[in-house]
Amino acid sequence: EIASCLVGSEMCIRDSTRAGGAVRHIGCLGPDGDWLRGQIADFGLSLDDIALVDDPTGHAVIFVDDGAENQIVLFGGSNLSFTKEQVLCVLESAEAGDWVLLQNETNLVSYIAQEARHRGLNVAYSAAPFDAGAVREMLEYITLLALNEGEAEALALASGRDPYDVGLDHVLITKGAQGAELCSVGQVMSHSGIQVEAVDTTGAGDTFLGAFMARFVQGEAMGALRFATGAAALQV
């Protein structure tokens, strides 16, 4: 089970649920977030852990070029309004061995990771939007680190170490059309990309990670890579 999913993007949560993951979504929405509450409910997710706050709902403005690549401008808004009480309420109901999925679009990320590990939970962390300092702060508390190829290069440059050599059990690196690679307990496995005509790459990483985690938590490392590659190909 993925005990909780604290990410700025609903897409990762949606696709993990569609892929069969048992997901609890902790989120914050502003006064303008009714349409998003409807989407979350349509995904089959509970609204019980979605807080309503005064800040406008976090969102992104996405630019897509002629090659289907994107640039994203983020407005944090309600995604920066998590409280410790809101998070602890969910973590305290999780069972040892459950997974918490985090990334850098919310506040309290390091705190959540520490509290999760203290309770015997696994932590998967997507280092996006990338910040080398934030990644270094998280390494002590996470079980799985997810990076895209550019983020992996930036981490290597900032740390002077290969991303596979940062002391973690699992490191996942996505490589766009070239597929993805997973270093799991010292074993490196890879899956090539599926060749498609890309229309818009927005959300491909979120889709990949959501689909990957739904299978990976069941102990299917290679199967998770294969499944997530197909899901990302459909997304683009």
Side-chain angles (χ1 to χ4, degrees):
E1 179 180 351
I2 303 175
S4 45
C5 192
L6 295 91
V7 294
S9 169
E10 307 299 327
M11 192 170 292
C12 182
I13 304 160
R14 178 201 71 187
D15 287 305
S16 193
T17 302
R18 286 177 170 175
V23 180
R24 289 183 67 178
H25 177 202
I26 306 176
C28 294
L29 296 177
D32 55 343
D34 285 348
W35 66 275
L36 193 50
R37 285 177 59 85
Q39 278 201 337
I40 293 170
D42 288 344
F43 295 160
L45 290 160
S46 170
L47 295 169
D48 291 348
D49 301 312
I50 307 296
L52 299 180
V53 299
D54 293 333
D55 296 314
T57 300
H59 58 273
V61 178
I62 303 168
F63 300 90
V64 182
D65 66 18
D66 291 339
E69 296 297 329
N70 65 72
Q71 291 187 337
I72 302 176
V73 179
L74 296 172
F75 170 73
S78 62
N79 286 331
L80 305 180
S81 299
F82 288 92
T83 66
K84 293 180 178 179
E85 293 75 17
Q86 178 191 9
V87 170
L88 291 179
C89 182
V90 177
L91 294 185
E92 288 170 356
S93 66
E95 298 180 1
D98 284 350
W99 284 79
V100 176
L101 177 59
L102 299 165
Q103 47 94 289
N104 286 332
E105 286 184 31
T106 71
N107 63 320
L108 299 182
V109 176
S110 178
Y111 171 81
I112 296 166
Q114 293 178 53
E115 290 294 325
R117 291 308 297 268
H118 177 69
R119 290 164 171 75
L121 308 178
N122 297 299
V123 178
Y125 170 59
S126 172
F130 184 78
D131 180 285
V135 176
R136 284 195 294 266
E137 185 179 0
M138 291 288 287
L139 289 177
E140 183 179 350
Y141 309 109
I142 60 180
T143 314
L144 182 148
L145 173 63
L147 304 158
N148 64 31
E149 197 167 23
E151 292 160 352
E153 292 173 358
L155 179 59
L157 185 64
S159 66
R161 290 190 290 173
D162 188 295
Y164 290 153
D165 190 31
V166 294
L168 298 176
D169 288 343
H170 312 288
V171 177
L172 173 68
I173 299 178
T174 56
K175 300 183 177 184
Q178 280 65 56
E181 200 168 74
L182 172 70
C183 183
S184 185
V185 197
Q187 178 184 1
V188 178
M189 57 195 81
S190 61
H191 194 280
S192 58
I194 298 173
Q195 298 306 308
V196 297
E197 182 179 349
V199 176
D200 183 353
T201 58
T202 305
D206 291 323
T207 296
F208 187 101
L209 186 56
F212 175 86
M213 290 304 301
R215 295 296 175 93
F216 183 73
V217 299
Q218 303 299 325
E220 301 178 36
M222 193 63 213
L225 276 179
R226 185 181 304 111
F227 184 72
T229 300
L234 290 172
Q235 170 62 30
V236 301

